[in-house]
Amino acid sequence: MPLNDERPNSTSSGEDQGSDVESSSERCDSMTLNSDLECSRDSFTSDSSSKHCSPSSSPPKTLTLDEVMESARDLFNLSLSHEIVMNRNFHLEPNSLPQDSLLKAVRDNLHKAFWDILEAELNDDPPEYGQAIRLVEEIREILLSFLNPGANRMRTQIMEVLDMDLIRQQADNDALDIQGLASYIITTMGKMCAPVRDEEIKKLREGTDNIVTLFKEIFRVLSLMRADMVNCTIENLRPVLQRQSVEYERAKFQSILDKTPSALDRTTSWIKSALEELQSSIAPTKQTNGPGKGQPVVPGPFQVLNAAFIRILTWDYSKSPPPETWMTDEIRLQEIQWQLQQCQAVNEVLLIVYSTIGGPIQGLPSLSDRLKRMISVLLDGMHRSDFNLEESLEGISAQICCELKKSLTERSYPALTPALQGTLTGQICNITQKDNPIRTLVEDRVQQYFMALISDPKPQSKIEQVPAGLTAIKPELAIIGAKFISLVNYNKTVYGPFYADILRKLMFSNSQPAANPPQNTAQDSVTHN
């Protein structure tokens, strides 16, 4: 009877994951992009690769099924190792399907059929042990898989007691002690299990006389033990991966790229879009003196890459997946985006309130904190597809008006007029419009904040320096900023060579980016100080 598959799981919240990301990437801070002034154009125009191979110059390659499967395994290993390094709460647990799902119904019916057959065979006169023997054999293999390579004594004992040839002979002669085998299996499980499973083993020892029910419980506990064993391996592996994560992830991605040259297409398009946006914004600007007089200003490679990272904050995941170099952090990036959107909306509402009401509510931190908490609660989950933002903003407006009336009355100020309440409600509800001036102002300043973090060689010094107008969400911005800059720093360290190659080809040559990033100074200029 097969055990349930384990699945990845994390008990950490978005903030916990962010702190893990920060701790795992602090060592990379000295290897990040600093400023355009530190970048030499020559380093990006050089092309001394010893294994240069451009997809555009190579004939189209048809991938075999084996190559596709191997790339899929590389991608899985890359994603798994990245998750182990970035999230210390990452673990595996037995798969639990949704109660009303079709898959769960099919699985439950198959399991029930198996156990019904086993019970019918054991109740025959004389008993039939075909299913029971297959069950014991599977349990034996599971127990053996739990053993360390040096546990020869335990291995020998299991093989002797659960000798399948002997068990079949006993079954043929109606001399099989199935209850005794179950007892030995439980005892062996007790020697192997983690302390957290001692209570489960105790329940098995005190279990029912119904052998079918007992074997069901044995398999359930074995499933838990297998998850424990995998999680123990993950914990032991984490320090090794943390020391070698950059080299390992870069090598795995290079392996994928070797088999699938198109594996950087979305990344190239992402960087190219940032370059074109910068070029269009600075095209009218001309140098007025010096040797380049009259020439358009060209953005530097660091400026392009920083602009590309900023675009990740507003990436529309419903329309397209993220660049390939960000695929292992997609969930973390989405969480950051959701948190940032909520913070921006809270800040926009508070700006409208204070600009509309003015003096009577200035200098009241308790009122500001109360309004902020209320707005945050009512906007929680605003990223969900079923969230009605317009309706929520109307409710927020009504709650704000009640709070303001109470505060103004307590301080002997005139009450809010119906006209002012209508104006306030209209302005708050209007932030759903993309061209709303308050929304545009807040979004622009948030972008400035993150650009300042990305561009600074020591971003931690600027975490608390939020632009004017964002003071209300300063604590939240600092947390989100720390998460994002840690992800960016780690990402640049791992994929810097690939970015350098793409930038060089986009900015300084007419050829397409190479499938294999050249090992030259262009890489070093992107990944090192």
Side-chain angles (χ1 to χ4, degrees):
M1 182 66 183
L3 291 175
N4 295 333
D5 292 335
E6 285 84 11
R7 62 181 175 86
N9 188 53
S10 170
T11 58
S12 67
S13 65
E15 292 186 9
D16 292 337
Q17 291 185 12
S19 63
D20 295 340
V21 169
E22 183 176 359
S23 64
S24 66
S25 62
E26 285 176 351
R27 65 187 185 279
C28 302
D29 289 347
S30 63
M31 302 172 67
T32 59
L33 303 175
N34 285 322
S35 67
D36 291 341
L37 295 178
E38 297 179 15
C39 172
S40 166
R41 178 186 175 95
D42 293 339
S43 69
F44 281 87
T45 55
S46 62
D47 192 1
S48 58
S49 172
S50 60
K51 56 173 187 175
H52 181 80
C53 175
S54 172
S56 61
S57 61
S58 303
K61 179 182 178 182
T62 302
L63 296 177
T64 65
L65 179 59
D66 288 342
E67 289 175 324
V68 172
M69 295 301 293
E70 188 175 352
S71 293
R73 285 192 294 271
D74 286 340
L75 178 58
F76 175 79
N77 291 336
L78 172 62
S79 301
L80 182 61
S81 65
H82 185 79
E83 195 65 29
I84 291 172
V85 170
M86 304 301 274
N87 178 12
R88 70 168 60 95
N89 292 311
F90 174 80
H91 67 277
L92 299 178
E93 65 178 20
N95 189 24
S96 57
L97 298 173
Q99 285 296 325
D100 299 328
S101 69
L102 176 62
L103 189 58
K104 183 178 186 303
V106 172
R107 187 193 66 180
D108 290 348
N109 284 334
L110 289 174
H111 286 192
K112 183 177 184 301
F114 177 88
W115 296 114
D116 286 348
I117 292 172
L118 176 63
E119 186 169 20
E121 287 186 352
L122 294 178
N123 288 335
D124 281 349
D125 190 15
E128 172 63 41
Y129 292 107
Q131 288 283 78
I133 291 174
R134 285 190 287 272
L135 204 62
V136 171
E137 187 172 14
E138 184 173 350
I139 292 174
R140 185 187 72 166
E141 296 307 312
I142 295 171
L143 292 176
L144 291 173
S145 71
F146 289 160
L147 295 176
N148 293 323
N152 296 325
R153 183 176 178 181
M154 178 71 78
R155 186 181 304 275
T156 300
Q157 185 187 75
I158 292 174
M159 294 295 290
E160 288 178 352
V161 176
L162 301 182
D163 184 334
M164 300 314 301
D165 292 335
L166 178 60
I167 289 174
R168 289 189 181 91
Q169 291 178 13
Q170 291 174 340
D172 291 341
N173 293 285
D174 197 20
L176 181 62
D177 182 8
I178 193 71
Q179 194 76 43
L181 290 177
S183 178
Y184 170 77
I185 290 170
I186 294 171
T187 300
T188 305
M189 289 168 61
K191 296 176 181 178
M192 295 180 168
C193 72
V196 70
R197 302 301 172 198
D198 287 347
E199 189 63 30
E200 298 284 354
I201 299 297
K202 181 180 178 181
K203 290 179 181 178
L204 288 179
R205 290 195 176 104
E206 299 170 351
T208 175
D209 292 333
N210 186 312
I211 192 64
V212 174
T213 302
L214 183 58
F215 270 107
K216 282 183 183 179
E217 288 300 299
I218 286 174
F219 266 97
R220 183 184 66 81
V221 177
L222 282 172
S223 178
L224 297 176
M225 288 175 60
R226 187 163 68 174
D228 294 339
M229 195 72 66
V230 173
N231 290 326
C232 180
T233 303
I234 288 174
E235 288 302 313
N236 292 333
L237 186 61
R238 180 174 284 115
V240 178
L241 285 176
Q242 287 175 337
R243 289 193 298 269
Q244 304 177 1
S245 59
V246 171
E247 293 78 9
Y248 178 82
E249 291 187 33
R250 187 183 296 164
K252 278 296 177 186
F253 190 82
Q254 181 63 60
S255 176
I256 295 170
L257 193 58
D258 290 339
K259 301 179 185 71
T260 315
S262 62
L264 274 175
D265 284 358
R266 291 199 307 271
T267 302
T268 302
S269 177
W270 162 59
I271 295 177
K272 184 178 180 181
S273 297
L275 172 61
E276 291 173 346
E277 184 177 338
L278 281 174
Q279 288 175 329
S280 64
S281 65
I282 65 177
T285 305
K286 304 287 184 179
Q287 294 179 356
T288 57
N289 50 44
K293 182 179 180 180
Q295 297 297 320
V297 177
V298 179
F302 289 107
Q303 187 180 1
V304 175
L305 196 53
N306 289 345
F309 286 132
I310 290 296
R311 291 170 68 91
I312 287 291
L313 283 170
T314 55
W315 193 270
D316 191 344
Y317 295 92
S318 64
K319 293 183 178 179
S320 63
E324 296 89 349
T325 54
W326 281 103
M327 59 189 174
T328 52
D329 284 314
E330 181 174 354
I331 294 177
R332 274 177 281 272
L333 289 173
Q334 284 186 300
E335 289 178 351
I336 287 175
Q337 188 182 89
W338 297 337
Q339 294 166 7
L340 191 57
Q341 288 173 349
Q342 183 174 343
C343 286
Q344 289 177 167
V346 170
N347 196 81
E348 290 158 11
V349 173
L350 289 174
L351 284 179
I352 290 171
V353 171
Y354 279 90
S355 63
T356 303
I357 306 303
I361 59 172
Q362 296 293 340
L364 298 176
S366 59
L367 174 63
S368 178
D369 291 342
R370 193 159 63 249
L371 292 177
K372 179 180 173 181
R373 287 196 301 271
M374 179 194 70
I375 298 168
S376 298
V377 169
L378 294 177
L379 288 178
D380 187 41
M382 63 178 290
H383 62 276
R384 297 197 307 265
S385 59
D386 60 345
F387 188 87
N388 191 321
L389 182 58
E390 292 81 1
E391 184 178 306
S392 296
L393 290 175
E394 289 178 2
I396 287 171
S397 302
Q399 292 287 342
I400 287 175
C401 288
C402 290
E403 287 290 337
L404 292 177
K405 287 178 183 178
K406 179 181 177 182
S407 178
L408 292 173
T409 301
E410 290 174 350
R411 304 182 68 221
S412 300
Y413 278 97
L416 290 179
T417 64
L420 190 56
Q421 292 182 46
T423 299
L424 186 61
T425 300
Q427 290 184 358
I428 290 175
C429 293
N430 197 45
I431 66 172
T432 58
Q433 305 300 318
K434 291 187 177 181
D435 59 349
N436 179 271
I438 297 294
R439 175 174 174 173
T440 302
L441 173 69
V442 171
E443 290 178 351
D444 287 348
R445 292 190 177 177
V446 166
Q447 297 273 309
Q448 294 172 19
Y449 171 75
F450 281 96
M451 181 58 80
L453 292 182
I454 292 176
S455 303
D456 197 287
K458 296 181 179 179
Q460 295 301 325
S461 63
K462 291 194 174 182
I463 289 289
E464 300 289 337
Q465 299 177 17
V466 301
L470 303 182
T471 308
I473 56 172
K474 177 179 176 179
E476 291 78 11
L477 267 186
I479 293 173
I480 297 172
K483 292 180 190 177
F484 185 66
I485 198 63
S486 295
L487 286 177
V488 168
N489 285 346
Y490 189 81
N491 182 273
K492 285 188 292 190
T493 306
V494 174
Y495 298 104
F498 303 96
Y499 294 150
D501 181 61
I502 291 172
L503 284 166
R504 184 181 56 254
K505 294 303 187 290
L506 289 176
M507 300 179 69
F508 307 125
S509 74
N510 294 323
S511 61
Q512 294 297 317
N516 297 301
Q519 307 298 318
N520 57 19
T521 55
Q523 294 179 8
D524 297 337
S525 66
V526 172
T527 58
H528 295 78
N529 285 339

